Amino acid sequence: MARGKLRIYLGAAPGVGKTYAMLSEAHRRVERGTDAVVAFVEHHGRPRTEVMLHGLEQIQRRELEYRDTVFTEMDVDAVLARRPAVALVDELAHTNVPGSRNGKRWQDVEELLEAGIHVISTVNIQHLESLGDVVESITGVRQRETVPDEIVRRADQIELVDMSPQAIRRRMAHGNIYQPDKVDAALSNYFRPGNLTALRELALLWVADRVDEYLQEYRAEHSIRSTWQARERIVVGLTGGPEGRTLIRRAARMAAKGSGSEVLAVYIARSDGLTSASPKELAVQRTLVEDLGGTFHHVIGDDIPSALLEFARGVNATQIVLGSSRRKAWQYIFGPGVGATVARDSGPDLDVHIVTHDEVAKGRGLPVARGARLGRTRIIAGWLVGVVGPVLLSLLLTSIANGPGLANDVLLFLFLTVVAALLGGQLPALASAAVGSLLLNFYFTPPTHTLTVSDPKNLVAIVIFFAVAVSVASVVDLAARRTHQAARLRAESEILSFLAGSVLRGETTLDALLERVRETFGMETVALLERAGDVEPWTCAGRAGTDHGTRLLRPEDADVDMPVGDHMALALTGRVLPAEDRRVLAAFAAQAAVVLDRQRLVGEAERARELAEGNRIRTALLAAVSHDLRTPLASIKASVTSLRSDDVAWSPEDEAELLAGIEAGADRLDHLVGNLLDMSRLQTGTVTPLIREIDLDEVVPVALGGVPEGSVTLDIPEELPIVAVDPGLLERSVANLVENAVKYSPDGAAVLVSASALGERVELRIADRGPGVPDSAKDRIFEPFQRYGDAPRGAGVGLGLAVARGFAEAMGGTLAAEDTPGGGMTMVLTLRAAPGRPPARPDLPARATT
């Protein structure tokens, strides 16, 4: 049975009309005679969406009881029994009620597809699993209901349902999304213009990437090599020279002129793995292109123009940016150059831009890794000159009456041998010497046309000719090998120098170093493995590259392994390295071990810094004890001494005043000691919150017991969600925040304590009308032993806000300071709503993101 096809309407934001679009498509199919049914559609009380359900067959939902409440879910068995051609299933990311056939609705859809039923579904961009953290950072709402990206990517059709933020807000204001009593809260929270714009951009980018995948698959299936200019992709060809930065910036400016353009910088390395470019310069250029929003690619290839064009066509590029040649005029005798070759072979589908720079015509020098190795063209030319050249020369000399003589003939043949040696190396030269000797003997030494030499002088001449030819070929080959060795050593020294410098300066992380190893040697995967002992299993300390479904678990599993000490090894997969490359690899392995040790030392230094911070806190604690705690003790001591004095007859009013002073001092001392102990617990990490579900109105009023009556206005709605907190820690945090707000509020201005729900969070706001705090000091006021402004000594040790934030974070919440509109400061305490415990009236963001 063929698998059904999945069509998804992807919404850029809640309320854009994806369910309406799905129902409109169902009506069109029914009118064409398609058997389409509604398996599950939720209209959320929107009248226009509800009207679209009329005229469509609806499958009866399945009722499930959970926690004394009846819920309805899609009846998968009923849909399978009905076997329609098309089933409409709304809200693909929905989590089914416990007791359902599957945990998630997308799993229900998978069953329908496996049964051969086509499915049309809907999902919002914020419900994609990979975008959860991004959406939370934008909207402040963590999506509990998500669907794996792969499920949506596998859809046969994805249609984006989009709407401008202004249009969505107008729809909201007209009551087309929520009821009128919920509109104001929705517009000021989740449906802010910034939120909607960011979600819209996420949706457009995600769909654009998916369209790009479709395009690449289609081009690959149909073997299309020409460029389709559906999207501007600019490839920057880098040589590793200083002009690369100019090219990257020029390409970035070109990309900025068109929205959605992409910059890809590519460096073509020789297949021997050791490149002629400066590693330091390449690292700088890699950082530059990534900072400008592009990507850096390292490609292996001996023929640079062909490799560059192959890469550009492979990524469906539309433009190539190259720099003007750095070669001097005389160097063009070796060929037209990369830029001219790429421009000639690019064809009509690729635009090639040649950019001028400061290094034009200053000379490019000899390529380090290539200068010693003769290319295929030169080797072929050497064989042609060494083998064909003597034959053509013999034909030419024999056609001349009274030729130049044997001595000159020998010199001419020797010239061809030298040319063959210069072009092709030793083997073509030896072949030229052998062929030339035979031809000289056969055509030019009496008796001719035989291999017999009658005159001993001619024999000596031929022998000397052969010896000279062999000597010249050997010298040329030796020079080539020595040049190659020197070039290789120079490349190695540059790499090792870059490694040593970057590691000593602390600029290289382990991942970056392993990536450098992978690119240098053209490997697929590089991993640093270590183990605690000889019999302990290997563990991976760092990895770079792709695995292709396999994991490096032991050095023996790799194509190349380089031991580093007794219990560490660098493992590489991709190809077997020649012995001459292992010296550089050993240096890389040693540096990797150094980098790993440095990272661990940095971690230990961080822990030492934390210990030092703890010592600083303890020092400050002693200072606080020496002053701030002695003040209430001195007051208590003076009052007690006065009461016990027999020299003075205290009136009842005086005794009451002294006793009140003792009580106030004791309360103040208890508060200070409590904050000090709480701070000590936070610093030592011994705060273990006991989380349980509780209503805010059970905790907040209790926390206000220590402030003067009438100094606080409380506004906590009854329909707020239940929060998951430690009641004791929450009470202490709120008490500290309210006490601090009352302290700085002017007389007659009550502190407002209000609460509201925002998605899966509950916000408690403590707003005062005091002098406020500038933005630069908002974070500093939460540090221990900090008192802002001109707070007098003895007004506290500056731990109240630090303890409040510490307790909030221990419960999984946050505490931040904001400006109060009209003057003052507002403390925003954000708490987690209890999972699975919705409020009596669902809050708007939760409804908006369902």
Side-chain angles (χ1 to χ4, degrees):
M1 179 182 299
R3 177 182 170 88
K5 293 184 178 181
L6 174 62
R7 177 171 183 167
I8 293 179
Y9 285 91
L10 179 65
V16 294
K18 60 186 183 303
T19 303
Y20 189 94
M22 178 181 67
L23 294 174
S24 298
E25 174 66 18
H27 279 286
R28 287 193 293 270
R29 297 200 180 195
V30 169
E31 290 173 359
R32 295 195 300 263
T34 304
D35 182 17
V37 302
V38 176
F40 187 96
V41 169
E42 182 61 64
H43 56 75
H44 294 293
R46 298 166 186 169
R48 296 188 179 183
T49 304
E50 187 176 4
V51 168
M52 293 297 294
L53 288 170
H54 297 166
L56 296 176
E57 179 185 349
Q58 301 186 47
I59 302 294
Q60 185 69 31
R61 299 184 184 183
R62 180 185 178 189
E63 293 186 351
L64 296 169
E65 183 175 348
Y66 179 66
R67 292 187 177 181
D68 300 329
T69 304
V70 177
F71 298 88
T72 60
E73 296 287 0
M74 180 175 67
D75 193 336
V76 180
D77 292 326
V79 178
L80 292 174
R82 171 65 173 75
R83 292 198 60 79
V86 178
L88 275 63
V89 182
D90 203 7
E91 298 179 349
L92 186 63
H94 173 74
T95 300
N96 292 330
V97 174
S100 301
R101 183 188 186 97
N102 296 301
K104 302 287 289 187
R105 185 164 292 164
W106 63 263
Q107 295 172 327
D108 296 338
V109 169
E110 284 293 308
E111 284 198 40
L112 300 182
L113 295 174
E114 291 295 334
I117 300 174
H118 302 319
V119 176
I120 304 178
S121 188
T122 65
V123 69
N124 281 333
I125 189 66
Q126 66 264 30
H127 293 296
L128 295 182
E129 198 168 76
S130 66
L131 300 178
D133 295 337
V134 179
V135 173
E136 182 179 14
S137 66
I138 294 171
T139 65
V141 178
R142 182 67 183 183
Q143 301 297 327
R144 287 180 295 178
E145 296 186 334
T146 60
V147 59
D149 289 45
E150 184 60 27
I151 300 300
V152 182
R153 286 185 179 276
R154 287 207 310 260
D156 299 276
Q157 297 181 55
I158 300 177
E159 183 170 334
L160 178 65
V161 183
D162 186 24
M163 186 178 292
S164 69
Q166 294 78 9
I168 297 178
R169 289 172 62 85
R170 281 198 301 271
R171 290 194 64 198
M172 177 75 68
H174 294 160
N176 293 331
I177 300 178
Y178 291 130
Q179 298 300 320
D181 60 330
K182 303 176 182 177
V183 170
D184 290 339
L187 291 176
S188 60
N189 290 294
Y190 193 88
F191 286 84
R192 292 192 294 267
N195 289 359
L196 297 176
T197 302
L199 291 174
R200 187 186 193 193
E201 183 176 12
L202 280 178
L204 291 172
L205 291 174
W206 194 91
V207 173
D209 288 340
R210 185 66 185 102
V211 172
D212 206 32
E213 292 177 10
Y214 278 131
L215 182 61
Q216 295 293 350
E217 292 173 3
Y218 182 85
R219 285 166 52 84
E221 291 173 358
H222 294 80
S223 301
I224 298 174
R225 303 298 299 163
S226 61
T227 300
W228 287 3
Q229 300 186 6
R231 180 180 180 183
E232 289 291 342
R233 285 188 177 86
I234 305 173
V235 171
V236 184
L238 301 178
T239 65
E243 78 280 359
R245 306 182 199 183
T246 302
L247 303 184
I248 292 171
R249 293 189 181 97
R250 181 72 179 101
R253 290 196 298 270
M254 294 168 59
K257 295 178 181 178
S259 179
S261 298
E262 186 178 358
V263 176
L264 303 91
V266 58
Y267 173 71
I268 310 295
R270 302 291 177 180
S271 59
D272 57 10
L274 291 173
T275 68
S276 61
S278 167
K280 183 176 181 179
E281 181 62 30
L282 277 181
V284 171
Q285 294 176 14
R286 175 196 291 269
T287 303
L288 176 61
V289 71
E290 291 175 350
D291 289 344
L292 294 174
T295 56
F296 185 91
H297 303 268
H298 197 108
V299 177
I300 305 297
D302 286 325
D303 190 342
I304 292 179
S306 298
L308 182 60
L309 289 171
E310 185 72 18
F311 174 83
R313 293 191 174 101
V315 299
N316 197 28
T318 57
Q319 302 180 59
I320 297 178
V321 175
L322 299 173
S324 297
S325 178
R326 287 183 288 145
R327 296 190 299 176
K328 294 183 180 296
W330 63 267
Q331 291 179 309
Y332 281 96
I333 63 175
F334 298 109
V338 174
T341 305
V342 170
R344 181 192 65 201
D345 298 339
S346 61
D349 52 353
L350 267 173
D351 297 333
V352 179
H353 303 266
I354 305 298
V355 179
T356 59
H357 49 83
D358 294 337
E359 303 296 323
V360 174
K362 290 186 177 180
R364 63 177 184 176
L366 294 176
V368 174
R370 181 180 171 88
R373 297 197 172 188
L374 304 176
R376 179 190 299 181
T377 303
R378 288 187 58 181
I379 293 176
I380 294 175
W383 280 102
L384 290 175
V385 172
V387 176
V388 179
V391 175
L392 297 178
L393 181 60
S394 299
L395 294 176
L396 177 63
L397 294 176
T398 53
S399 64
I400 300 175
N402 300 322
L406 181 60
N408 292 325
D409 294 339
V410 170
L411 291 177
L412 291 174
F413 277 95
L414 181 61
F415 172 76
L416 289 179
T417 302
V418 172
V419 172
L422 292 174
L423 290 175
Q426 187 174 29
L427 292 179
L430 292 177
S432 178
V435 173
S437 299
L438 291 175
L439 292 175
L440 282 172
N441 185 9
F442 190 81
Y443 287 105
F444 304 104
T445 56
T448 59
H449 300 95
T450 66
L451 295 178
T452 303
V453 180
S454 59
D455 189 349
K457 294 180 181 180
N458 294 336
L459 179 61
V460 172
I462 293 176
V463 171
I464 292 175
F465 160 75
F466 186 80
V468 170
V470 171
S471 300
V472 170
S474 300
V475 170
V476 172
D477 182 71
L478 180 62
R481 285 189 284 111
R482 290 290 185 266
T483 304
H484 170 61
Q485 292 173 0
R488 186 179 187 85
L489 290 174
R490 177 183 172 186
E492 291 179 1
S493 65
E494 287 183 357
I495 292 173
L496 296 178
S497 174
F498 166 72
L499 280 177
S502 60
V503 172
L504 289 176
R505 292 189 299 269
E507 298 175 353
T508 303
T509 63
L510 181 60
D511 292 340
L513 181 62
L514 295 180
E515 180 64 23
R516 175 66 182 167
V517 174
R518 189 188 69 81
E519 291 186 350
T520 299
F521 296 99
M523 290 295 185
E524 294 179 356
T525 309
V526 178
L528 183 63
L529 307 178
E530 63 174 349
R531 59 181 177 179
D534 294 336
V535 296
E536 297 295 329
W538 291 93
T539 59
C540 181
R543 178 185 300 272
T546 56
D547 293 324
H548 296 299
T550 62
R551 302 289 292 178
L552 281 176
L553 301 178
R554 300 179 304 165
E556 295 81 5
D557 299 331
D559 295 324
V560 181
D561 68 283
M562 176 59 64
V564 187
D566 296 331
H567 302 128
M568 189 177 293
L570 193 64
L572 302 88
T573 61
R575 65 187 180 95
V576 178
L577 289 180
E580 58 186 1
D581 285 345
R582 294 185 67 87
R583 180 172 66 253
V584 179
L585 182 60
F588 271 112
Q591 295 287 23
V594 171
V595 171
L596 180 61
D597 289 340
R598 175 177 281 107
Q599 289 184 352
R600 290 173 175 171
L601 288 175
V602 169
E604 294 178 2
E606 179 63 22
R607 289 190 291 272
R609 188 196 63 77
E610 294 175 356
L611 291 176
E613 179 67 16
N615 289 332
R616 187 188 69 81
I617 294 295
R618 282 190 287 272
T619 302
L621 175 62
L622 292 175
V625 170
S626 66
H627 185 281
D628 295 283
L629 294 184
R630 292 177 63 182
T631 301
L633 284 174
S635 175
I636 294 172
K637 174 68 174 175
S639 298
V640 172
T641 303
S642 299
L643 286 173
R644 296 189 60 186
S645 175
D646 297 332
D647 300 337
V648 181
W650 301 104
S651 65
E653 293 79 7
D654 293 336
E655 290 183 357
E657 184 177 353
L658 290 173
L659 289 174
I662 294 173
E663 184 178 11
D667 291 341
R668 182 176 166 193
L669 183 62
D670 178 69
H671 181 72
L672 291 174
V673 172
N675 275 339
L676 288 171
L677 293 177
D678 291 339
M679 197 67 222
S680 176
R681 293 166 58 202
L682 288 171
Q683 291 293 328
T684 56
T686 57
V687 175
T688 305
L690 301 177
I691 304 297
R692 66 184 182 90
E693 299 176 1
I694 193 170
D695 284 320
L696 278 181
D697 54 12
E698 297 181 29
V699 179
V700 176
V702 179
L704 306 182
V707 297
E709 186 176 354
S711 60
V712 176
T713 301
L714 197 59
D715 180 17
I716 299 181
E718 294 182 359
E719 64 270 14
L720 278 179
I722 294 175
V723 293
V725 296
D726 183 315
L729 298 185
L730 177 59
E731 179 184 341
R732 193 58 179 270
S733 297
V734 174
N736 283 355
L737 295 174
V738 172
E739 178 188 339
N740 183 78
V742 171
K743 181 190 305 181
Y744 288 100
S745 289
D747 295 337
V751 173
L752 175 61
V753 179
S754 60
S756 60
L758 183 62
E760 299 178 0
R761 303 174 302 168
V762 174
E763 288 187 351
L764 186 66
R765 293 176 170 266
I766 298 94
D768 64 59
R769 292 296 180 180
V773 175
D775 293 339
S776 59
K778 281 188 171 63
D779 287 332
R780 193 168 66 248
I781 61 176
F782 292 103
E783 296 179 3
F785 305 103
Q786 296 291 326
R787 291 179 294 185
Y788 179 71
D790 55 355
R793 297 292 295 177
V797 295
L799 287 177
L801 296 182
V803 169
R805 171 175 275 189
F807 283 170
E809 293 176 349
M811 294 183 293
T814 60
L815 177 61
E818 297 179 357
D819 292 329
T820 302
M825 186 171 63
T826 299
M827 291 293 177
V828 183
L829 178 60
T830 304
L831 305 170
R832 292 180 299 152
R837 297 292 301 275
R841 185 181 67 188
D843 55 276
L844 291 175
R847 287 286 301 275
T849 55
T850 298

